[in-house]
Amino acid sequence: MLKTLLLTSCLVFFSSFQEKELPNTAVQSQVYICKSTSAKRYHLKKSCRGLNACTHDIIAVSLAKARNTYSRTLCKWED
Ligand SMILES: [Zn+2]
């Protein structure tokens, strides 16, 4: 009886542990880029300090577009 109880609580603990340990697989599809020709990065947050220096328009684009169309790499402040 005690063994069953322990096993059950162990399983409950394990499954909640697993849930917590799962990486955040929700891939952010929208990123922000500075529409400057000299900018080479994309940003996950519009408030990123890497965007503070941007004097051009900041636009939201899809991650794929930022990487492929604009050839941007992830901002060094966010990796
Ligand atoms: Zn950034």
Side-chain angles (χ1 to χ4, degrees):
M1 185 61 182
L2 184 65
K3 203 177 172 185
T4 313
L5 193 70
L6 277 173
L7 187 66
T8 309
S9 49
C10 209
L11 281 172
V12 168
F13 175 76
F14 183 67
S15 45
S16 60
F17 177 73
Q18 254 196 334
E19 220 167 277
K20 275 179 192 164
E21 285 300 297
L22 274 175
N24 188 7
T25 47
V27 177
Q28 185 172 345
S29 54
Q30 283 284 292
V31 297
Y32 299 95
I33 62 168
C34 179
K35 241 185 142 184
S36 162
T37 48
S38 59
K40 292 181 170 55
R41 307 287 184 172
Y42 64 82
H43 310 265
L44 302 180
K45 292 174 296 220
K46 205 175 181 179
S47 58
C48 174
R49 55 173 153 166
L51 277 170
N52 285 347
C54 178
T55 52
H56 296 68
D57 286 337
I58 295 166
I59 57 166
V61 295
S62 68
L63 179 60
K65 198 171 172 183
R67 288 174 121 154
N68 304 326
T69 310
Y70 294 97
S71 306
R72 302 297 179 91
T73 53
L74 179 62
C75 163
K76 61 179 175 179
W77 301 110
E78 294 172 89
D79 56 7

